[in-house]
């Protein structure tokens, strides 16, 4: 199984980095072919240009910096997203990656007229999210968990028909303890053993 780990956090020594390292270790030990895409480390530009937006419905973006990202998407059979939840949603860097990389002629084809979008991501059969969140679980649910819905409903909708998903979050991250963080890494290991 080929898995793309999409990692998004600006601080190299963050707890999300520990989650990333744990995930890569477990998946590698399972014999998976793992590629890491670290958006901050590569200084990914999440800003869509005026020209890119104007041609968005007509063709894939022509920015050469995006080509490796398109290749990652075409290569992956599974995608694991690791990021902090900020203001209940995705970090701007990750949202910009979706905007620019999951594009026309890469992730989907737009219909002529009123037809349905045609998916180009049916090779992706598993999508997982591991995140941290300062809010408690109950409040995240009240707010509607927009980050979770963006990936596990919106993006998953153009993956394989029976694409399997999971969502794992360390809530109350702002008041976490070494014990709660270690316990969550144990959950990460156990969940990825079944991914």
């Amino acid at each position: 199984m080929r898995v793309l780990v999409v990692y998004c956090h600006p601080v190299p020594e963050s707890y999300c980095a520990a989650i990333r390292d744990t995930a890569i270790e477990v998946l590698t030990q399972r014999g998976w072919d793992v590629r890491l895409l670290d958006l901050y480390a590569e200084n990914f530009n999440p800003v869509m240009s005026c020209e890119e937006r104007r041609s968005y419905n007509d063709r894939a973006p022509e920015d050469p910096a995006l080509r490796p990202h398109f290749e990652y998407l075409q290569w992956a059979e599974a995608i694991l997203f690791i990021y902090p939840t900020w203001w209940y949603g995705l970090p701007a860097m990750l949202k910009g990656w979706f905007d620019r990389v999951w594009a026309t002629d890469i992730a989907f084809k737009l219909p002529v007229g009123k037809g349905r979008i045609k998916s180009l991501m049916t090779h992706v059969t598993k999508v997982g999210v591991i995140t941290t969140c300062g809010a408690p679980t109950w409040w995240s649910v009240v707010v509607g968990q927009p980050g979770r819905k963006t990936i596990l409903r919106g993006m998953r909708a153009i993956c394989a028909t029976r694409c399997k998903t999971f969502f794992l979050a360390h809530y109350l991250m702002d008041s976490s303890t070494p014990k709660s963080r270690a316990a969550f890494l144990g959950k990460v290991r156990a969940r990825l053993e079944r991914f």
Side-chain angles (χ1 to χ4, degrees), residues 4-6 8 37 39 42 44-48 52 66 68-70 72-73 79 81 91-103 121 151 155:
L4 176 63
V5 175
V6 180
C8 186
L37 177 56
L39 297 176
E42 78 161 53
F44 178 77
N45 179 7
V47 180
M48 184 181 288
E52 197 173 317
L66 297 178
H69 296 262
F70 299 156
Y72 283 138
L73 281 189
I79 305 176
F81 297 94
M93 175 81 76
L94 183 54
K95 177 60 171 66
W97 184 76
F98 280 126
D99 292 344
R100 297 193 70 211
V101 176
W102 289 57
M121 298 291 291
I151 296 175
M155 310 318 283

PDB file of all heavy atoms in Angstrom, residues 4-6 8 37 39 42 44-48 52 66 68-70 72-73 79 81 91-103 121 151 155:
ATOM      1  N   LEU A   4       0.518   8.484   1.328  1.00  0.00           N
ATOM      2  CA  LEU A   4       1.040   9.841   1.363  1.00  0.00           C
ATOM      3  C   LEU A   4       0.665  10.448   2.701  1.00  0.00           C
ATOM      4  O   LEU A   4      -0.518  10.536   3.042  1.00  0.00           O
ATOM      5  CB  LEU A   4       0.444  10.664   0.216  1.00  0.00           C
ATOM      6  CG  LEU A   4       0.828  12.145   0.190  1.00  0.00           C
ATOM      7  CD1 LEU A   4       2.330  12.326  -0.002  1.00  0.00           C
ATOM      8  CD2 LEU A   4       0.054  12.873  -0.910  1.00  0.00           C
ATOM      9  N   VAL A   5       1.672  10.843   3.489  1.00  0.00           N
ATOM     10  CA  VAL A   5       1.433  11.521   4.756  1.00  0.00           C
ATOM     11  C   VAL A   5       1.560  13.019   4.482  1.00  0.00           C
ATOM     12  O   VAL A   5       2.636  13.505   4.135  1.00  0.00           O
ATOM     13  CB  VAL A   5       2.438  11.069   5.840  1.00  0.00           C
ATOM     14  CG1 VAL A   5       2.241  11.877   7.124  1.00  0.00           C
ATOM     15  CG2 VAL A   5       2.299   9.576   6.101  1.00  0.00           C
ATOM     16  N   VAL A   6       0.447  13.726   4.611  1.00  0.00           N
ATOM     17  CA  VAL A   6       0.436  15.176   4.401  1.00  0.00           C
ATOM     18  C   VAL A   6       0.477  15.821   5.779  1.00  0.00           C
ATOM     19  O   VAL A   6      -0.466  15.710   6.560  1.00  0.00           O
ATOM     20  CB  VAL A   6      -0.815  15.630   3.626  1.00  0.00           C
ATOM     21  CG1 VAL A   6      -0.793  17.144   3.418  1.00  0.00           C
ATOM     22  CG2 VAL A   6      -0.900  14.896   2.281  1.00  0.00           C
ATOM     23  N   CYS A   8       1.198  19.201   8.248  1.00  0.00           N
ATOM     24  CA  CYS A   8       1.110  20.656   8.193  1.00  0.00           C
ATOM     25  C   CYS A   8       1.207  21.245   9.595  1.00  0.00           C
ATOM     26  O   CYS A   8       0.228  21.255  10.350  1.00  0.00           O
ATOM     27  CB  CYS A   8      -0.214  21.053   7.533  1.00  0.00           C
ATOM     28  SG  CYS A   8      -0.389  22.818   7.251  1.00  0.00           S
ATOM     29  N   LEU A  37       4.903  14.491   2.852  1.00  0.00           N
ATOM     30  CA  LEU A  37       4.794  15.817   2.275  1.00  0.00           C
ATOM     31  C   LEU A  37       4.637  16.791   3.438  1.00  0.00           C
ATOM     32  O   LEU A  37       3.581  16.849   4.070  1.00  0.00           O
ATOM     33  CB  LEU A  37       3.589  15.896   1.332  1.00  0.00           C
ATOM     34  CG  LEU A  37       3.300  17.244   0.696  1.00  0.00           C
ATOM     35  CD1 LEU A  37       4.502  17.775  -0.061  1.00  0.00           C
ATOM     36  CD2 LEU A  37       2.104  17.131  -0.226  1.00  0.00           C
ATOM     37  N   LEU A  39       4.363  20.394   4.338  1.00  0.00           N
ATOM     38  CA  LEU A  39       4.049  21.645   3.644  1.00  0.00           C
ATOM     39  C   LEU A  39       4.873  22.834   4.125  1.00  0.00           C
ATOM     40  O   LEU A  39       5.321  23.651   3.323  1.00  0.00           O
ATOM     41  CB  LEU A  39       2.553  21.946   3.759  1.00  0.00           C
ATOM     42  CG  LEU A  39       1.635  20.910   3.109  1.00  0.00           C
ATOM     43  CD1 LEU A  39       0.171  21.243   3.364  1.00  0.00           C
ATOM     44  CD2 LEU A  39       1.912  20.801   1.624  1.00  0.00           C
ATOM     45  N   GLU A  42       8.729  22.500   3.152  1.00  0.00           N
ATOM     46  CA  GLU A  42       9.040  22.790   1.753  1.00  0.00           C
ATOM     47  C   GLU A  42       8.615  24.200   1.352  1.00  0.00           C
ATOM     48  O   GLU A  42       8.755  24.580   0.199  1.00  0.00           O
ATOM     49  CB  GLU A  42       8.424  21.757   0.836  1.00  0.00           C
ATOM     50  CG  GLU A  42       6.961  21.910   0.569  1.00  0.00           C
ATOM     51  CD  GLU A  42       6.563  21.153  -0.687  1.00  0.00           C
ATOM     52  OE1 GLU A  42       6.863  19.960  -0.781  1.00  0.00           O
ATOM     53  OE2 GLU A  42       5.954  21.777  -1.564  1.00  0.00           O
ATOM     54  N   PHE A  44       5.617  25.500   1.018  1.00  0.00           N
ATOM     55  CA  PHE A  44       4.549  25.462   0.018  1.00  0.00           C
ATOM     56  C   PHE A  44       3.823  26.805  -0.021  1.00  0.00           C
ATOM     57  O   PHE A  44       3.529  27.392   1.012  1.00  0.00           O
ATOM     58  CB  PHE A  44       3.553  24.348   0.349  1.00  0.00           C
ATOM     59  CG  PHE A  44       2.407  24.279  -0.609  1.00  0.00           C
ATOM     60  CD1 PHE A  44       2.571  23.711  -1.859  1.00  0.00           C
ATOM     61  CD2 PHE A  44       1.162  24.803  -0.277  1.00  0.00           C
ATOM     62  CE1 PHE A  44       1.519  23.662  -2.766  1.00  0.00           C
ATOM     63  CE2 PHE A  44       0.111  24.753  -1.165  1.00  0.00           C
ATOM     64  CZ  PHE A  44       0.287  24.183  -2.418  1.00  0.00           C
ATOM     65  N   ASN A  45       3.538  27.280  -1.220  1.00  0.00           N
ATOM     66  CA  ASN A  45       2.797  28.533  -1.371  1.00  0.00           C
ATOM     67  C   ASN A  45       1.310  28.214  -1.500  1.00  0.00           C
ATOM     68  O   ASN A  45       0.870  27.711  -2.534  1.00  0.00           O
ATOM     69  CB  ASN A  45       3.277  29.292  -2.611  1.00  0.00           C
ATOM     70  CG  ASN A  45       2.511  30.584  -2.826  1.00  0.00           C
ATOM     71  OD1 ASN A  45       1.707  30.995  -1.991  1.00  0.00           O
ATOM     72  ND2 ASN A  45       2.764  31.234  -3.941  1.00  0.00           N
ATOM     73  N   PRO A  46       0.504  28.533  -0.465  1.00  0.00           N
ATOM     74  CA  PRO A  46      -0.910  28.185  -0.504  1.00  0.00           C
ATOM     75  C   PRO A  46      -1.778  29.205  -1.245  1.00  0.00           C
ATOM     76  O   PRO A  46      -2.978  29.013  -1.377  1.00  0.00           O
ATOM     77  CB  PRO A  46      -1.293  28.155   0.977  1.00  0.00           C
ATOM     78  CG  PRO A  46      -0.402  29.181   1.596  1.00  0.00           C
ATOM     79  CD  PRO A  46       0.901  29.095   0.834  1.00  0.00           C
ATOM     80  N   VAL A  47      -1.174  30.270  -1.733  1.00  0.00           N
ATOM     81  CA  VAL A  47      -1.945  31.375  -2.315  1.00  0.00           C
ATOM     82  C   VAL A  47      -2.188  31.145  -3.803  1.00  0.00           C
ATOM     83  O   VAL A  47      -1.257  31.064  -4.597  1.00  0.00           O
ATOM     84  CB  VAL A  47      -1.229  32.724  -2.099  1.00  0.00           C
ATOM     85  CG1 VAL A  47      -2.025  33.867  -2.711  1.00  0.00           C
ATOM     86  CG2 VAL A  47      -0.984  32.961  -0.610  1.00  0.00           C
ATOM     87  N   MET A  48      -3.449  31.051  -4.157  1.00  0.00           N
ATOM     88  CA  MET A  48      -3.830  30.903  -5.556  1.00  0.00           C
ATOM     89  C   MET A  48      -3.721  32.268  -6.241  1.00  0.00           C
ATOM     90  O   MET A  48      -4.263  33.251  -5.753  1.00  0.00           O
ATOM     91  CB  MET A  48      -5.265  30.382  -5.646  1.00  0.00           C
ATOM     92  CG  MET A  48      -5.729  30.110  -7.058  1.00  0.00           C
ATOM     93  SD  MET A  48      -7.444  29.512  -7.126  1.00  0.00           S
ATOM     94  CE  MET A  48      -7.264  27.854  -6.472  1.00  0.00           C
ATOM     95  N   GLU A  52      -4.325  31.764 -11.970  1.00  0.00           N
ATOM     96  CA  GLU A  52      -4.660  30.379 -11.614  1.00  0.00           C
ATOM     97  C   GLU A  52      -6.163  30.247 -11.369  1.00  0.00           C
ATOM     98  O   GLU A  52      -6.793  29.281 -11.792  1.00  0.00           O
ATOM     99  CB  GLU A  52      -3.872  29.974 -10.370  1.00  0.00           C
ATOM    100  CG  GLU A  52      -3.786  28.507 -10.101  1.00  0.00           C
ATOM    101  CD  GLU A  52      -2.851  28.179  -8.948  1.00  0.00           C
ATOM    102  OE1 GLU A  52      -1.749  28.781  -8.869  1.00  0.00           O
ATOM    103  OE2 GLU A  52      -3.230  27.345  -8.124  1.00  0.00           O
ATOM    104  N   LEU A  66       3.922  22.955  -8.494  1.00  0.00           N
ATOM    105  CA  LEU A  66       2.834  22.050  -8.118  1.00  0.00           C
ATOM    106  C   LEU A  66       2.981  20.652  -8.712  1.00  0.00           C
ATOM    107  O   LEU A  66       2.344  19.708  -8.248  1.00  0.00           O
ATOM    108  CB  LEU A  66       1.487  22.640  -8.545  1.00  0.00           C
ATOM    109  CG  LEU A  66       1.086  23.962  -7.883  1.00  0.00           C
ATOM    110  CD1 LEU A  66      -0.239  24.449  -8.445  1.00  0.00           C
ATOM    111  CD2 LEU A  66       1.038  23.840  -6.376  1.00  0.00           C
ATOM    112  N   PRO A  68       5.227  18.190  -8.518  1.00  0.00           N
ATOM    113  CA  PRO A  68       5.491  17.065  -7.590  1.00  0.00           C
ATOM    114  C   PRO A  68       4.261  16.722  -6.742  1.00  0.00           C
ATOM    115  O   PRO A  68       4.029  15.553  -6.437  1.00  0.00           O
ATOM    116  CB  PRO A  68       6.632  17.574  -6.708  1.00  0.00           C
ATOM    117  CG  PRO A  68       7.253  18.702  -7.464  1.00  0.00           C
ATOM    118  CD  PRO A  68       6.170  19.296  -8.314  1.00  0.00           C
ATOM    119  N   HIS A  69       3.458  17.725  -6.407  1.00  0.00           N
ATOM    120  CA  HIS A  69       2.255  17.490  -5.606  1.00  0.00           C
ATOM    121  C   HIS A  69       1.222  16.702  -6.413  1.00  0.00           C
ATOM    122  O   HIS A  69       0.572  15.805  -5.884  1.00  0.00           O
ATOM    123  CB  HIS A  69       1.679  18.827  -5.132  1.00  0.00           C
ATOM    124  CG  HIS A  69       2.595  19.555  -4.212  1.00  0.00           C
ATOM    125  ND1 HIS A  69       2.463  19.511  -2.841  1.00  0.00           N
ATOM    126  CD2 HIS A  69       3.681  20.328  -4.463  1.00  0.00           C
ATOM    127  CE1 HIS A  69       3.433  20.226  -2.291  1.00  0.00           C
ATOM    128  NE2 HIS A  69       4.181  20.731  -3.249  1.00  0.00           N
ATOM    129  N   PHE A  70       1.093  17.026  -7.684  1.00  0.00           N
ATOM    130  CA  PHE A  70       0.186  16.270  -8.552  1.00  0.00           C
ATOM    131  C   PHE A  70       0.644  14.816  -8.629  1.00  0.00           C
ATOM    132  O   PHE A  70      -0.172  13.890  -8.586  1.00  0.00           O
ATOM    133  CB  PHE A  70       0.158  16.863  -9.965  1.00  0.00           C
ATOM    134  CG  PHE A  70      -0.312  18.290 -10.043  1.00  0.00           C
ATOM    135  CD1 PHE A  70       0.077  19.094 -11.110  1.00  0.00           C
ATOM    136  CD2 PHE A  70      -1.146  18.843  -9.084  1.00  0.00           C
ATOM    137  CE1 PHE A  70      -0.355  20.406 -11.204  1.00  0.00           C
ATOM    138  CE2 PHE A  70      -1.580  20.158  -9.168  1.00  0.00           C
ATOM    139  CZ  PHE A  70      -1.183  20.943 -10.240  1.00  0.00           C
ATOM    140  N   TYR A  72       2.372  13.174  -6.372  1.00  0.00           N
ATOM    141  CA  TYR A  72       2.052  12.530  -5.083  1.00  0.00           C
ATOM    142  C   TYR A  72       0.607  12.026  -5.082  1.00  0.00           C
ATOM    143  O   TYR A  72       0.334  10.901  -4.673  1.00  0.00           O
ATOM    144  CB  TYR A  72       2.210  13.512  -3.914  1.00  0.00           C
ATOM    145  CG  TYR A  72       3.614  13.789  -3.462  1.00  0.00           C
ATOM    146  CD1 TYR A  72       4.009  15.087  -3.136  1.00  0.00           C
ATOM    147  CD2 TYR A  72       4.549  12.771  -3.303  1.00  0.00           C
ATOM    148  CE1 TYR A  72       5.294  15.363  -2.696  1.00  0.00           C
ATOM    149  CE2 TYR A  72       5.834  13.034  -2.861  1.00  0.00           C
ATOM    150  CZ  TYR A  72       6.198  14.334  -2.558  1.00  0.00           C
ATOM    151  OH  TYR A  72       7.467  14.599  -2.118  1.00  0.00           O
ATOM    152  N   LEU A  73      -0.317  12.867  -5.520  1.00  0.00           N
ATOM    153  CA  LEU A  73      -1.730  12.476  -5.527  1.00  0.00           C
ATOM    154  C   LEU A  73      -1.976  11.289  -6.451  1.00  0.00           C
ATOM    155  O   LEU A  73      -2.742  10.388  -6.117  1.00  0.00           O
ATOM    156  CB  LEU A  73      -2.617  13.644  -5.969  1.00  0.00           C
ATOM    157  CG  LEU A  73      -2.921  14.724  -4.947  1.00  0.00           C
ATOM    158  CD1 LEU A  73      -3.978  15.669  -5.487  1.00  0.00           C
ATOM    159  CD2 LEU A  73      -3.370  14.152  -3.622  1.00  0.00           C
ATOM    160  N   ILE A  79      -4.139   8.311   1.967  1.00  0.00           N
ATOM    161  CA  ILE A  79      -3.631   9.623   2.366  1.00  0.00           C
ATOM    162  C   ILE A  79      -3.928   9.806   3.844  1.00  0.00           C
ATOM    163  O   ILE A  79      -5.065   9.607   4.295  1.00  0.00           O
ATOM    164  CB  ILE A  79      -4.261  10.770   1.550  1.00  0.00           C
ATOM    165  CG1 ILE A  79      -4.067  10.539   0.056  1.00  0.00           C
ATOM    166  CG2 ILE A  79      -3.636  12.112   1.956  1.00  0.00           C
ATOM    167  CD1 ILE A  79      -4.734  11.576  -0.837  1.00  0.00           C
ATOM    168  N   PHE A  81      -3.631  12.659   6.801  1.00  0.00           N
ATOM    169  CA  PHE A  81      -3.424  14.078   7.102  1.00  0.00           C
ATOM    170  C   PHE A  81      -3.128  14.246   8.586  1.00  0.00           C
ATOM    171  O   PHE A  81      -3.867  13.733   9.429  1.00  0.00           O
ATOM    172  CB  PHE A  81      -4.680  14.882   6.746  1.00  0.00           C
ATOM    173  CG  PHE A  81      -5.011  14.857   5.284  1.00  0.00           C
ATOM    174  CD1 PHE A  81      -5.899  13.925   4.780  1.00  0.00           C
ATOM    175  CD2 PHE A  81      -4.412  15.755   4.412  1.00  0.00           C
ATOM    176  CE1 PHE A  81      -6.208  13.886   3.426  1.00  0.00           C
ATOM    177  CE2 PHE A  81      -4.707  15.724   3.057  1.00  0.00           C
ATOM    178  CZ  PHE A  81      -5.608  14.796   2.564  1.00  0.00           C
ATOM    179  N   PRO A  91      -5.525  24.384   9.049  1.00  0.00           N
ATOM    180  CA  PRO A  91      -4.589  25.508   8.924  1.00  0.00           C
ATOM    181  C   PRO A  91      -4.666  26.060   7.493  1.00  0.00           C
ATOM    182  O   PRO A  91      -4.914  25.318   6.535  1.00  0.00           O
ATOM    183  CB  PRO A  91      -3.218  24.870   9.172  1.00  0.00           C
ATOM    184  CG  PRO A  91      -3.501  23.594   9.898  1.00  0.00           C
ATOM    185  CD  PRO A  91      -4.842  23.136   9.411  1.00  0.00           C
ATOM    186  N   ALA A  92      -4.459  27.361   7.342  1.00  0.00           N
ATOM    187  CA  ALA A  92      -4.561  28.012   6.031  1.00  0.00           C
ATOM    188  C   ALA A  92      -3.646  27.345   5.002  1.00  0.00           C
ATOM    189  O   ALA A  92      -4.009  27.210   3.830  1.00  0.00           O
ATOM    190  CB  ALA A  92      -4.231  29.503   6.160  1.00  0.00           C
ATOM    191  N   MET A  93      -2.473  26.914   5.436  1.00  0.00           N
ATOM    192  CA  MET A  93      -1.529  26.258   4.528  1.00  0.00           C
ATOM    193  C   MET A  93      -2.155  25.002   3.913  1.00  0.00           C
ATOM    194  O   MET A  93      -2.059  24.769   2.706  1.00  0.00           O
ATOM    195  CB  MET A  93      -0.249  25.901   5.282  1.00  0.00           C
ATOM    196  CG  MET A  93       0.766  25.124   4.487  1.00  0.00           C
ATOM    197  SD  MET A  93       1.791  26.130   3.409  1.00  0.00           S
ATOM    198  CE  MET A  93       2.905  26.872   4.588  1.00  0.00           C
ATOM    199  N   LEU A  94      -2.818  24.192   4.737  1.00  0.00           N
ATOM    200  CA  LEU A  94      -3.427  22.959   4.249  1.00  0.00           C
ATOM    201  C   LEU A  94      -4.632  23.262   3.369  1.00  0.00           C
ATOM    202  O   LEU A  94      -4.820  22.634   2.322  1.00  0.00           O
ATOM    203  CB  LEU A  94      -3.824  22.058   5.427  1.00  0.00           C
ATOM    204  CG  LEU A  94      -4.413  20.695   5.077  1.00  0.00           C
ATOM    205  CD1 LEU A  94      -3.510  19.899   4.148  1.00  0.00           C
ATOM    206  CD2 LEU A  94      -4.708  19.907   6.353  1.00  0.00           C
ATOM    207  N   LYS A  95      -5.438  24.230   3.749  1.00  0.00           N
ATOM    208  CA  LYS A  95      -6.582  24.611   2.916  1.00  0.00           C
ATOM    209  C   LYS A  95      -6.098  25.108   1.559  1.00  0.00           C
ATOM    210  O   LYS A  95      -6.664  24.763   0.509  1.00  0.00           O
ATOM    211  CB  LYS A  95      -7.402  25.695   3.620  1.00  0.00           C
ATOM    212  CG  LYS A  95      -8.582  26.215   2.813  1.00  0.00           C
ATOM    213  CD  LYS A  95      -9.579  25.129   2.461  1.00  0.00           C
ATOM    214  CE  LYS A  95     -10.858  25.651   1.853  1.00  0.00           C
ATOM    215  NZ  LYS A  95     -10.710  26.273   0.539  1.00  0.00           N
ATOM    216  N   GLY A  96      -5.017  25.892   1.546  1.00  0.00           N
ATOM    217  CA  GLY A  96      -4.457  26.366   0.284  1.00  0.00           C
ATOM    218  C   GLY A  96      -3.911  25.230  -0.563  1.00  0.00           C
ATOM    219  O   GLY A  96      -3.983  25.276  -1.796  1.00  0.00           O
ATOM    220  N   TRP A  97      -3.380  24.194   0.101  1.00  0.00           N
ATOM    221  CA  TRP A  97      -2.896  23.014  -0.637  1.00  0.00           C
ATOM    222  C   TRP A  97      -4.066  22.339  -1.342  1.00  0.00           C
ATOM    223  O   TRP A  97      -3.965  21.973  -2.513  1.00  0.00           O
ATOM    224  CB  TRP A  97      -2.188  22.058   0.324  1.00  0.00           C
ATOM    225  CG  TRP A  97      -1.580  20.870  -0.343  1.00  0.00           C
ATOM    226  CD1 TRP A  97      -0.425  20.823  -1.072  1.00  0.00           C
ATOM    227  CD2 TRP A  97      -2.095  19.525  -0.345  1.00  0.00           C
ATOM    228  NE1 TRP A  97      -0.186  19.541  -1.531  1.00  0.00           N
ATOM    229  CE2 TRP A  97      -1.204  18.729  -1.093  1.00  0.00           C
ATOM    230  CE3 TRP A  97      -3.226  18.929   0.213  1.00  0.00           C
ATOM    231  CZ2 TRP A  97      -1.400  17.366  -1.289  1.00  0.00           C
ATOM    232  CZ3 TRP A  97      -3.429  17.573   0.023  1.00  0.00           C
ATOM    233  CH2 TRP A  97      -2.517  16.802  -0.727  1.00  0.00           C
ATOM    234  N   PHE A  98      -5.182  22.180  -0.644  1.00  0.00           N
ATOM    235  CA  PHE A  98      -6.369  21.614  -1.294  1.00  0.00           C
ATOM    236  C   PHE A  98      -6.807  22.485  -2.469  1.00  0.00           C
ATOM    237  O   PHE A  98      -7.090  21.989  -3.552  1.00  0.00           O
ATOM    238  CB  PHE A  98      -7.524  21.471  -0.304  1.00  0.00           C
ATOM    239  CG  PHE A  98      -7.434  20.268   0.583  1.00  0.00           C
ATOM    240  CD1 PHE A  98      -7.502  20.399   1.960  1.00  0.00           C
ATOM    241  CD2 PHE A  98      -7.284  18.993   0.057  1.00  0.00           C
ATOM    242  CE1 PHE A  98      -7.430  19.292   2.788  1.00  0.00           C
ATOM    243  CE2 PHE A  98      -7.207  17.879   0.875  1.00  0.00           C
ATOM    244  CZ  PHE A  98      -7.285  18.026   2.245  1.00  0.00           C
ATOM    245  N   ASP A  99      -6.875  23.795  -2.243  1.00  0.00           N
ATOM    246  CA  ASP A  99      -7.320  24.717  -3.296  1.00  0.00           C
ATOM    247  C   ASP A  99      -6.466  24.606  -4.550  1.00  0.00           C
ATOM    248  O   ASP A  99      -6.983  24.624  -5.670  1.00  0.00           O
ATOM    249  CB  ASP A  99      -7.265  26.168  -2.805  1.00  0.00           C
ATOM    250  CG  ASP A  99      -8.281  26.487  -1.734  1.00  0.00           C
ATOM    251  OD1 ASP A  99      -9.241  25.713  -1.559  1.00  0.00           O
ATOM    252  OD2 ASP A  99      -8.119  27.524  -1.060  1.00  0.00           O
ATOM    253  N   ARG A 100      -5.158  24.504  -4.380  1.00  0.00           N
ATOM    254  CA  ARG A 100      -4.249  24.563  -5.516  1.00  0.00           C
ATOM    255  C   ARG A 100      -3.906  23.194  -6.116  1.00  0.00           C
ATOM    256  O   ARG A 100      -3.610  23.103  -7.299  1.00  0.00           O
ATOM    257  CB  ARG A 100      -2.947  25.264  -5.096  1.00  0.00           C
ATOM    258  CG  ARG A 100      -3.179  26.710  -4.674  1.00  0.00           C
ATOM    259  CD  ARG A 100      -1.885  27.469  -4.558  1.00  0.00           C
ATOM    260  NE  ARG A 100      -1.328  27.660  -5.895  1.00  0.00           N
ATOM    261  CZ  ARG A 100      -0.020  27.722  -6.136  1.00  0.00           C
ATOM    262  NH1 ARG A 100       0.857  27.594  -5.149  1.00  0.00           N
ATOM    263  NH2 ARG A 100       0.413  27.905  -7.358  1.00  0.00           N
ATOM    264  N   VAL A 101      -3.919  22.137  -5.295  1.00  0.00           N
ATOM    265  CA  VAL A 101      -3.439  20.828  -5.760  1.00  0.00           C
ATOM    266  C   VAL A 101      -4.585  19.886  -6.152  1.00  0.00           C
ATOM    267  O   VAL A 101      -4.497  19.187  -7.148  1.00  0.00           O
ATOM    268  CB  VAL A 101      -2.517  20.179  -4.705  1.00  0.00           C
ATOM    269  CG1 VAL A 101      -2.097  18.784  -5.121  1.00  0.00           C
ATOM    270  CG2 VAL A 101      -1.282  21.062  -4.480  1.00  0.00           C
ATOM    271  N   TRP A 102      -5.666  19.884  -5.411  1.00  0.00           N
ATOM    272  CA  TRP A 102      -6.816  19.045  -5.769  1.00  0.00           C
ATOM    273  C   TRP A 102      -7.614  19.824  -6.821  1.00  0.00           C
ATOM    274  O   TRP A 102      -8.682  20.353  -6.561  1.00  0.00           O
ATOM    275  CB  TRP A 102      -7.664  18.729  -4.538  1.00  0.00           C
ATOM    276  CG  TRP A 102      -6.998  17.770  -3.594  1.00  0.00           C
ATOM    277  CD1 TRP A 102      -5.787  17.920  -2.994  1.00  0.00           C
ATOM    278  CD2 TRP A 102      -7.520  16.531  -3.139  1.00  0.00           C
ATOM    279  NE1 TRP A 102      -5.518  16.843  -2.188  1.00  0.00           N
ATOM    280  CE2 TRP A 102      -6.568  15.977  -2.259  1.00  0.00           C
ATOM    281  CE3 TRP A 102      -8.700  15.836  -3.377  1.00  0.00           C
ATOM    282  CZ2 TRP A 102      -6.751  14.753  -1.624  1.00  0.00           C
ATOM    283  CZ3 TRP A 102      -8.895  14.625  -2.739  1.00  0.00           C
ATOM    284  CH2 TRP A 102      -7.927  14.082  -1.877  1.00  0.00           C
ATOM    285  N   ALA A 103      -7.057  19.895  -8.004  1.00  0.00           N
ATOM    286  CA  ALA A 103      -7.529  20.815  -9.027  1.00  0.00           C
ATOM    287  C   ALA A 103      -8.130  20.087 -10.226  1.00  0.00           C
ATOM    288  O   ALA A 103      -8.018  18.868 -10.361  1.00  0.00           O
ATOM    289  CB  ALA A 103      -6.348  21.693  -9.481  1.00  0.00           C
ATOM    290  N   MET A 121      -9.617  10.515  -8.585  1.00  0.00           N
ATOM    291  CA  MET A 121      -8.962  10.070  -7.351  1.00  0.00           C
ATOM    292  C   MET A 121      -9.483   8.707  -6.888  1.00  0.00           C
ATOM    293  O   MET A 121      -9.342   8.354  -5.721  1.00  0.00           O
ATOM    294  CB  MET A 121      -9.199  11.103  -6.246  1.00  0.00           C
ATOM    295  CG  MET A 121      -8.621  12.468  -6.535  1.00  0.00           C
ATOM    296  SD  MET A 121      -6.830  12.476  -6.511  1.00  0.00           S
ATOM    297  CE  MET A 121      -6.525  12.203  -4.782  1.00  0.00           C
ATOM    298  N   ILE A 151     -12.417  17.237   4.953  1.00  0.00           N
ATOM    299  CA  ILE A 151     -11.637  16.101   4.446  1.00  0.00           C
ATOM    300  C   ILE A 151     -12.467  14.829   4.321  1.00  0.00           C
ATOM    301  O   ILE A 151     -12.469  14.192   3.270  1.00  0.00           O
ATOM    302  CB  ILE A 151     -10.400  15.853   5.327  1.00  0.00           C
ATOM    303  CG1 ILE A 151      -9.453  17.060   5.245  1.00  0.00           C
ATOM    304  CG2 ILE A 151      -9.673  14.574   4.902  1.00  0.00           C
ATOM    305  CD1 ILE A 151      -8.246  16.987   6.156  1.00  0.00           C
ATOM    306  N   MET A 155     -13.530  15.971   0.540  1.00  0.00           N
ATOM    307  CA  MET A 155     -12.427  15.407  -0.245  1.00  0.00           C
ATOM    308  C   MET A 155     -12.626  13.905  -0.460  1.00  0.00           C
ATOM    309  O   MET A 155     -12.344  13.389  -1.525  1.00  0.00           O
ATOM    310  CB  MET A 155     -11.072  15.679   0.427  1.00  0.00           C
ATOM    311  CG  MET A 155     -10.832  17.124   0.840  1.00  0.00           C
ATOM    312  SD  MET A 155     -11.346  18.393  -0.318  1.00  0.00           S
ATOM    313  CE  MET A 155     -10.063  18.325  -1.511  1.00  0.00           C
TER     314      MET A 155
END
